[in-house]
Amino acid sequence: MSLRQIHLLGSPVLRQRAQEIGVVGDEVRALIADLFETMRAANGVGLAANQVGVARRVAVVSVEGAGPEGGEHVLVNPVVLESEGAQVGEEGCLSIPDIYGDVRRADRLVLEATDERGVRRRIEARGFLARAIQHEIDHLDGILFIDRVGALKRRRLLAEWRKARKGQEGLLRDVVPEGASRL
Ligand code: NI
């Protein structure tokens, strides 16, 4: 396993529609392990392959809780079968650090996704888990949460982002595990 660099807003791979996975083999399993490791090191609750520069349909989520409320899920080639209800809540993104906005999402989802063993599974999700899954599936379609906040709010968030990024170059972020930078 290894930590991967995270692509930041402006990196073209975040806007690509990720390609379907054919067979879940060792290469895909290594990608899944790296996504989990990088997500945890960055204190995230989800990470999509686009965000580490790989435009393939693979994402992971880890939300506290059990059953439809939480848990760890591997999402290879996810397909939403049913969605209903609505919820509005704050989202952020490891590719747009320190920027947050309220996003409207479906409250309940039934989806199908392949896991790390290549088994197609049906997943039911509610509340924050449903939110996290919708956010990650958006990534696989090249969509970011700032696309879903409304035009005025988006302009404000982008201005905030540009201000925060002033003087910084590059569109890759090194993930440093918590504590590692402290002596
Ligand atoms: Ni994100």
Side-chain angles (χ1 to χ4, degrees), residues 46-48 51 91-96 135-136 139 143-145:
L47 191 61
Q51 293 179 275
E91 290 186 23
C93 181
L94 294 175
S95 293
I96 321 173
H135 179 115
E136 298 315 324
H139 272 300
I143 297 167
L144 301 170
F145 85 89

Tab-separated table of all heavy atoms in Angstrom, residues 46-48 51 91-96 135-136 139 143-145, ligand 1:
chain	number	residue	atom	x	y	z
A	46	GLY	N	-14.355	9.770	2.175
A	46	GLY	CA	-14.514	9.153	0.867
A	46	GLY	C	-13.423	9.638	-0.064
A	46	GLY	O	-12.843	10.713	0.153
A	47	LEU	N	-13.113	8.809	-1.063
A	47	LEU	CA	-12.106	9.221	-2.052
A	47	LEU	C	-12.379	8.454	-3.344
A	47	LEU	O	-12.636	7.250	-3.318
A	47	LEU	CB	-10.694	8.906	-1.529
A	47	LEU	CG	-9.510	9.496	-2.300
A	47	LEU	CD1	-9.528	11.020	-2.317
A	47	LEU	CD2	-8.188	9.006	-1.702
A	48	ALA	N	-12.332	9.163	-4.451
A	48	ALA	CA	-12.550	8.552	-5.763
A	48	ALA	C	-11.232	8.495	-6.525
A	48	ALA	O	-10.333	9.312	-6.302
A	48	ALA	CB	-13.575	9.370	-6.548
A	51	GLN	N	-9.448	11.412	-8.032
A	51	GLN	CA	-8.741	12.322	-7.131
A	51	GLN	C	-7.289	11.945	-6.920
A	51	GLN	O	-6.507	12.761	-6.437
A	51	GLN	CB	-9.456	12.379	-5.770
A	51	GLN	CG	-10.828	13.020	-5.856
A	51	GLN	CD	-11.490	13.038	-4.498
A	51	GLN	OE1	-12.109	12.054	-4.109
A	51	GLN	NE2	-11.354	14.129	-3.771
A	91	GLU	N	-20.890	19.989	2.676
A	91	GLU	CA	-19.880	19.094	2.108
A	91	GLU	C	-18.564	19.832	1.912
A	91	GLU	O	-18.530	21.038	1.705
A	91	GLU	CB	-20.353	18.543	0.747
A	91	GLU	CG	-21.500	17.578	0.896
A	91	GLU	CD	-21.898	16.901	-0.410
A	91	GLU	OE1	-21.081	16.804	-1.334
A	91	GLU	OE2	-23.065	16.459	-0.468
A	92	GLY	N	-17.519	19.040	1.961
A	92	GLY	CA	-16.200	19.512	1.580
A	92	GLY	C	-15.615	18.461	0.674
A	92	GLY	O	-16.283	17.476	0.349
A	93	CYS	N	-14.372	18.644	0.247
A	93	CYS	CA	-13.763	17.695	-0.687
A	93	CYS	C	-12.255	17.741	-0.514
A	93	CYS	O	-11.679	18.821	-0.407
A	93	CYS	CB	-14.147	18.074	-2.120
A	93	CYS	SG	-13.488	16.955	-3.361
A	94	LEU	N	-11.610	16.572	-0.482
A	94	LEU	CA	-10.158	16.530	-0.313
A	94	LEU	C	-9.434	17.191	-1.479
A	94	LEU	O	-8.272	17.556	-1.356
A	94	LEU	CB	-9.679	15.077	-0.146
A	94	LEU	CG	-10.158	14.376	1.137
A	94	LEU	CD1	-9.731	12.917	1.144
A	94	LEU	CD2	-9.630	15.095	2.385
A	95	SER	N	-10.130	17.388	-2.603
A	95	SER	CA	-9.531	18.060	-3.766
A	95	SER	C	-9.731	19.569	-3.728
A	95	SER	O	-9.199	20.285	-4.589
A	95	SER	CB	-10.107	17.492	-5.063
A	95	SER	OG	-9.702	16.151	-5.239
A	96	ILE	N	-10.526	20.041	-2.749
A	96	ILE	CA	-10.768	21.493	-2.605
A	96	ILE	C	-10.675	21.824	-1.112
A	96	ILE	O	-11.663	22.206	-0.486
A	96	ILE	CB	-12.165	21.898	-3.161
A	96	ILE	CG1	-12.514	21.118	-4.442
A	96	ILE	CG2	-12.220	23.396	-3.433
A	96	ILE	CD1	-13.952	21.344	-4.934
A	135	HIS	N	-21.588	11.938	-3.463
A	135	HIS	CA	-20.432	12.807	-3.716
A	135	HIS	C	-19.362	12.046	-4.503
A	135	HIS	O	-18.796	12.574	-5.466
A	135	HIS	CB	-19.899	13.312	-2.365
A	135	HIS	CG	-18.696	14.189	-2.431
A	135	HIS	ND1	-18.713	15.515	-2.046
A	135	HIS	CD2	-17.421	13.935	-2.828
A	135	HIS	CE1	-17.496	16.035	-2.209
A	135	HIS	NE2	-16.688	15.095	-2.675
A	136	GLU	N	-19.101	10.792	-4.089
A	136	GLU	CA	-18.050	10.012	-4.767
A	136	GLU	C	-18.470	9.597	-6.171
A	136	GLU	O	-17.653	9.627	-7.099
A	136	GLU	CB	-17.666	8.780	-3.937
A	136	GLU	CG	-17.074	9.076	-2.562
A	136	GLU	CD	-16.026	10.172	-2.548
A	136	GLU	OE1	-15.246	10.278	-3.522
A	136	GLU	OE2	-15.996	10.941	-1.572
A	139	HIS	N	-17.828	12.339	-8.463
A	139	HIS	CA	-16.417	12.424	-8.879
A	139	HIS	C	-16.169	11.557	-10.111
A	139	HIS	O	-15.444	11.957	-11.027
A	139	HIS	CB	-15.490	11.943	-7.761
A	139	HIS	CG	-15.090	13.017	-6.787
A	139	HIS	ND1	-14.410	14.151	-7.170
A	139	HIS	CD2	-15.259	13.125	-5.452
A	139	HIS	CE1	-14.172	14.913	-6.099
A	139	HIS	NE2	-14.687	14.308	-5.039
A	143	ILE	N	-17.901	15.431	-11.755
A	143	ILE	CA	-18.706	16.484	-11.107
A	143	ILE	C	-18.174	16.727	-9.696
A	143	ILE	O	-17.857	15.781	-8.968
A	143	ILE	CB	-20.189	16.050	-11.047
A	143	ILE	CG1	-20.745	15.892	-12.468
A	143	ILE	CG2	-21.021	17.052	-10.242
A	143	ILE	CD1	-22.100	15.174	-12.513
A	144	LEU	N	-18.069	17.988	-9.310
A	144	LEU	CA	-17.594	18.357	-7.973
A	144	LEU	C	-18.729	19.011	-7.187
A	144	LEU	O	-19.663	19.552	-7.782
A	144	LEU	CB	-16.414	19.336	-8.103
A	144	LEU	CG	-15.220	18.795	-8.885
A	144	LEU	CD1	-14.214	19.902	-9.160
A	144	LEU	CD2	-14.568	17.633	-8.154
A	145	PHE	N	-18.622	18.981	-5.855
A	145	PHE	CA	-19.749	19.499	-5.061
A	145	PHE	C	-20.023	20.974	-5.339
A	145	PHE	O	-21.162	21.422	-5.233
A	145	PHE	CB	-19.560	19.216	-3.558
A	145	PHE	CG	-18.727	20.225	-2.813
A	145	PHE	CD1	-19.320	21.348	-2.239
A	145	PHE	CD2	-17.361	20.066	-2.683
A	145	PHE	CE1	-18.562	22.295	-1.550
A	145	PHE	CE2	-16.589	21.001	-2.003
A	145	PHE	CZ	-17.188	22.119	-1.441
B	1	NI	NI	-14.647	15.011	-3.059
